């Protein structure tokens, strides 16, 4: 049996703030249970819904010595099985009693330093020795550091491999060196430029990148981009030095959850055979619900996103007056920075029959948007993978994206002469280019509707389930743990 442990700060359905939770939830379920024992460990947040948390079973508890500024800490271990996957939860009310998994940056550094050491300390106590620990994002960056330093003296940990997956390089877990030394117990010699030091501070993600046996990102293009100064967030040199131990694997989506033929959140279910008719029904119902002009012939563009700089919203601001013409409607659903929330509120006030600003996170509204819209807009400044375009494929909604990261890897630009492609894309981070490609998509929608419907049909037939990604991860795990030679 091949034993893998996923370590992360969040996992759906227990706690979710972004795509990381979806990945950690979906991937372990895909492996063949007769060959793979894949388990997951996350913190035991008190904000986990009671219908799950009340079912957790106590496994064990022990005292763990943190760094000199942390001292002895209680570590509780809870467990729960969900959809065939074994989950562990690290319990400590001092750190994980919360309404939201993240908060003050300094406090987050401390609680995830505690979590990382607790994950390794737990393993011999519960008698589970994984062949590989798969770490996700900066919150688990110290696991490879602890493993290769403090824990190597214990024979139990010999031979355990680690993978560090970067979901978003922008977030790294950076704080001053004295604080990190006091919390982690790491000696001063680890805080050097070739190890944990970063701009005279400590960096948790950098530690994971340096000490992990292998690094993955969530798309091949993002893997290449972060090795350049433009996207490398100050770590491009380190990542370039490890490019032989790094690859990008595109995320998948849960094709059972996101299925327009069974999705009860949308107004009328549909599949490839009847989407031409039923998407129009969804559009008109949503127009009515949102107070927009009810007209199935309008071109409806959707945007479901965190409202932040990363998402290219300044480009939309530059050309919104051009996008929202009399034949086009624009619907946004999301929360984020005040300036962007107010920007969309302003345009909804300016064009009340064309633009709907829903400044909230609503999974129900998001699904209605996927089903009702003709196109989805993602003009991101950078995008490690992106799930929105994959979900929009599933619902026959054509993505309009900027060619960066996972958007470039998953969206093939439409070619009207060869009748190929599954979306529209532009290259440079430029508002005029965005407006040009949106206008081009309108031209195809209004003048070549048969070609548009063929493109939507191709989109619905695309396979972005986790199955393809799972085989790549299986190959990587086999390679790192030497199982390829054994099987050969």
């Amino acid at each position: 049996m091949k034993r893998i442990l996923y370590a992360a700060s969040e996992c759906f359905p227990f706690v979710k703030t972004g795509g990381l939770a979806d990945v950690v939830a979906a991937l372990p379920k895909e492996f063949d249970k007769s060959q793979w024992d894949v388990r997951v460990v996350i913190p035991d947040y008190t904000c986990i819904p009671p219908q799950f948390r009340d079912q957790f079973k106590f496994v064990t508890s022990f005292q763990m010595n943190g760094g000199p500024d942390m001292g002895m800490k209680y570590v509780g271990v809870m467990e729960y099985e969900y959809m065939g996957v074994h989950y562990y939860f690290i319990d400590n009310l001092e750190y994980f009693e919360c309404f939201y998994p993240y908060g003050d940056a300094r406090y987050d550094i401390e609680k995830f330093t505690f979590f990382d050491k607790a994950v390794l300390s737990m393993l011999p106590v519960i008698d589970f020795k994984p062949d590989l620990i798969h770490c996700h994002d900066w919150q688990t960056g110290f696991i490879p550091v602890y493993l290769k330093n403090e824990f190597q003296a214990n024979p139990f940990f010999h031979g355990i491999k680690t993978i560090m997956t970067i979901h978003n390089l922008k977030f790294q877990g950076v704080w001053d060196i004295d604080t990190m030394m006091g919390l982690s117990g790491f000696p001063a010699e680890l805080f050097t430029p070739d190890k944990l030091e970063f701009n005279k501070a400590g960096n948790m993600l950098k530690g994971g990148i340096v000490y992990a046996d292998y690094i993955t990102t969530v798309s091949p293009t993002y893997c290449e981009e972060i090795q350049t100064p433009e996207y490398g967030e100050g770590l491009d040199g380190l990542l370039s030095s490890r490019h032989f131990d790094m690859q990008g694997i595109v995320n998948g989506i849960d094709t059972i959850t996101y299925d327009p033929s069974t999705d009860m959140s949308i107004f009328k279910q549909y599949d490839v055979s009847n989407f031409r008719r039923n998407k129009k029904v969804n559009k008109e119902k949503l127009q009515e619900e949102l107070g927009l002009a009810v007209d199935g012939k309008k071109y409806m563009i959707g945007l479901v996103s965190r409202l932040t700089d990363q998402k290219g919203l300044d480009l939309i601001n530059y050309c919104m007056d051009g996008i929202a013409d009399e034949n086009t409607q624009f619907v946004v659903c999301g929360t984020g920075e005040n300036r962007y929330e107010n920007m969309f509120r302003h345009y909804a006030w300016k064009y009340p029959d064309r633009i709907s600003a829903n400044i909230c996170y609503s999974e129900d509204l998001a699904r209605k948007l996927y089903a009702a819209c003709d196109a989805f807009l993602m003009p991101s400044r950078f995008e490690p993978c992106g799930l929105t375009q994959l979900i929009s494929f599933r619902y026959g909604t054509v993505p309009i994206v900027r060619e960066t990261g996972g958007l470039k890897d998953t969206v093939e630009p439409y070619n009207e002469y060869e009748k190929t492609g599954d979306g529209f894309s532009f290259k440079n981070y430029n508002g005029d280019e965005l407006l040009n490609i949106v206008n081009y998509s309108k031209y195809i929608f209004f003048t070549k509707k048969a070609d548009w419907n063929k493109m939507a049909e191709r989109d619905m037939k695309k396979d972005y389930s986790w199955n393809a990604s799972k085989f790549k991860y299986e190959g990587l795990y086999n390679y790192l743990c030497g199982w390829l030679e054994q099987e050969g």
Side-chain angles (χ1 to χ4, degrees):
M1 186 68 75
K2 303 169 181 178
R3 298 177 299 276
I4 310 293
L5 179 67
Y6 278 53
S9 60
E10 57 184 84
C11 176
F12 182 81
F14 309 108
V15 60
K16 174 182 175 178
T17 67
L20 167 62
D22 293 319
V23 175
V24 178
L27 198 49
K29 292 187 295 188
E30 296 293 324
F31 292 89
D32 183 349
K33 302 293 190 295
S34 67
Q35 299 181 42
W36 299 86
D37 182 3
V38 183
R39 307 186 189 186
V40 179
V41 58
I42 66 170
D44 183 20
Y45 304 110
T46 55
C47 62
I48 293 173
Q51 67 261 35
F52 299 118
R53 198 162 185 266
D54 291 348
Q55 303 299 315
F56 293 174
K57 295 179 180 176
F58 176 79
V59 179
T60 188
S61 66
F62 55 90
Q63 295 291 319
M64 180 186 77
N65 188 18
D69 293 346
M70 188 182 290
M72 295 295 291
K73 294 292 181 182
Y74 167 85
V75 179
V77 181
M78 314 295 283
E79 68 178 352
Y80 182 67
E81 188 163 314
Y82 179 74
M83 296 186 71
V85 177
H86 198 133
Y87 291 90
Y88 295 109
F89 301 85
I90 300 295
D91 182 51
N92 182 299
L93 285 178
E94 180 182 347
Y95 292 121
F96 304 128
E97 185 174 22
C98 57
F99 295 105
Y100 189 77
Y102 313 116
D104 174 73
R106 158 65 177 78
Y107 189 56
D108 284 350
I109 295 288
E110 179 172 347
K111 72 183 179 186
F112 290 115
T113 298
F114 163 82
F115 173 72
D116 290 359
K117 190 169 186 179
V119 167
L120 292 172
S121 301
M122 164 191 81
L123 297 176
V125 180
I126 64 172
D127 194 26
F128 177 67
K129 181 179 179 179
D131 299 289
L132 183 145
I133 302 175
H134 193 155
C135 307
H136 294 265
D137 267 350
W138 72 266
Q139 295 92 343
T140 57
F142 274 172
I143 290 178
V145 186
Y146 276 120
L147 183 63
K148 292 285 180 68
N149 290 279
E150 184 173 332
F151 284 77
Q152 276 303 296
N154 186 339
F156 177 89
F157 295 94
H158 291 180
I160 296 178
K161 303 293 185 181
T162 55
I163 291 176
M164 189 79 229
T165 291
I166 302 169
H167 294 263
N168 193 332
L169 189 62
K170 190 175 181 67
F171 306 103
Q172 301 180 10
V174 178
W175 207 256
D176 71 88
I177 289 175
D178 289 341
T179 299
M180 280 202 175
M181 286 177 61
L183 295 174
S184 66
F186 293 144
E189 52 264 30
L190 288 189
F191 291 90
T192 56
D194 61 326
K195 295 184 177 72
L196 306 186
E197 188 271 336
F198 176 77
N199 292 339
K200 299 183 180 179
N203 186 319
M204 292 183 70
L205 180 62
K206 183 180 180 184
I209 294 170
V210 169
Y211 281 97
D213 295 292
Y214 205 88
I215 303 157
T216 68
T217 67
V218 289
S219 70
T221 295
Y222 190 62
C223 183
E224 297 298 320
E225 287 176 341
I226 61 176
Q227 297 177 55
T228 67
E230 183 179 358
Y231 295 96
E233 301 290 346
L235 296 179
D236 49 288
L238 170 62
L239 291 163
S240 295
S241 72
R242 296 218 58 191
H243 73 278
F244 288 119
D245 302 317
M246 184 164 66
Q247 66 171 296
I249 301 175
V250 172
N251 286 338
I253 58 171
D254 188 333
T255 53
I256 297 175
T257 300
Y258 294 108
D259 184 352
S261 67
T262 59
D263 191 341
M264 300 310 294
S265 296
I266 66 179
F267 295 107
K268 191 170 181 64
Q269 290 72 43
Y270 60 91
D271 55 27
V272 177
S273 66
N274 59 15
F275 77 93
R276 292 167 176 81
R277 179 174 63 255
N278 289 353
K279 271 186 78 72
K280 183 179 178 182
V281 174
N282 280 286
K283 182 193 293 187
E284 291 173 343
K285 291 281 190 183
L286 186 63
Q287 288 169 332
E288 185 178 346
E289 182 176 294
L290 298 179
L292 299 172
V294 179
D295 183 351
K297 294 182 180 179
K298 297 278 189 184
Y299 182 49
M300 182 182 281
I301 301 173
L303 187 146
V304 174
S305 174
R306 288 180 292 110
L307 304 182
T308 64
D309 263 343
Q310 174 195 337
K311 300 300 182 179
L313 305 181
D314 52 335
L315 300 187
I316 296 176
N317 187 36
Y318 173 81
C319 60
M320 180 63 99
D321 291 311
I323 292 174
D325 59 35
E326 62 273 12
N327 298 310
T328 304
Q329 294 175 336
F330 192 100
V331 184
V332 61
C333 175
T335 61
E337 297 175 22
N338 286 336
R339 57 175 169 158
Y340 292 126
E341 291 183 354
N342 292 331
M343 176 190 90
F344 285 116
R345 288 189 183 105
H346 165 73
Y347 284 119
W349 165 82
K350 188 175 182 180
Y351 304 109
D353 60 333
R354 304 179 194 174
I355 297 178
S356 174
N358 304 277
I359 308 304
C360 62
Y361 174 76
S362 169
E363 184 70 19
D364 184 69
L365 177 58
R367 287 169 181 264
K368 289 176 179 176
L369 265 177
Y370 289 125
C373 288
D374 302 294
F376 245 73
L377 189 58
M378 295 184 71
S380 302
R381 186 184 298 271
F382 68 93
E383 194 66 58
C385 179
L387 297 177
T388 303
Q389 80 279 14
L390 306 182
I391 300 170
S392 68
F393 282 147
R394 186 82 170 135
Y395 285 75
T397 303
V398 176
I400 304 172
V401 305
R402 179 169 171 260
E403 295 173 8
T404 184
L407 301 178
K408 182 177 180 180
D409 291 322
T410 54
V411 178
E412 179 188 350
Y414 173 67
N415 185 319
E416 66 176 291
Y417 305 104
E418 297 179 358
K419 311 296 185 196
T420 59
D422 45 42
F424 298 90
S425 66
F426 66 104
K427 185 174 179 61
N428 297 305
Y429 194 77
N430 181 294
D432 291 315
E433 284 197 29
L434 168 60
L435 182 58
N436 286 339
I437 199 65
V438 170
N439 285 339
Y440 178 58
S441 72
K442 293 178 187 179
Y443 164 74
I444 299 299
F445 178 81
F446 286 115
T447 67
K448 299 179 182 289
K449 196 58 180 289
D451 291 347
W452 181 280
N453 286 334
K454 284 290 185 184
M455 179 162 44
E457 186 176 316
R458 288 195 295 273
D459 289 354
M460 294 187 72
K461 291 179 178 178
K462 290 172 75 74
D463 179 14
Y464 273 107
S465 66
W466 276 104
N467 201 43
S469 302
K470 175 202 69 173
F471 285 118
K472 292 182 180 179
Y473 279 111
E474 281 186 354
L476 179 56
Y477 298 159
N478 284 327
Y479 161 72
L480 283 176
C481 297
W483 292 322
L484 290 175
E485 291 85 349
Q486 297 172 20
E487 290 173 359

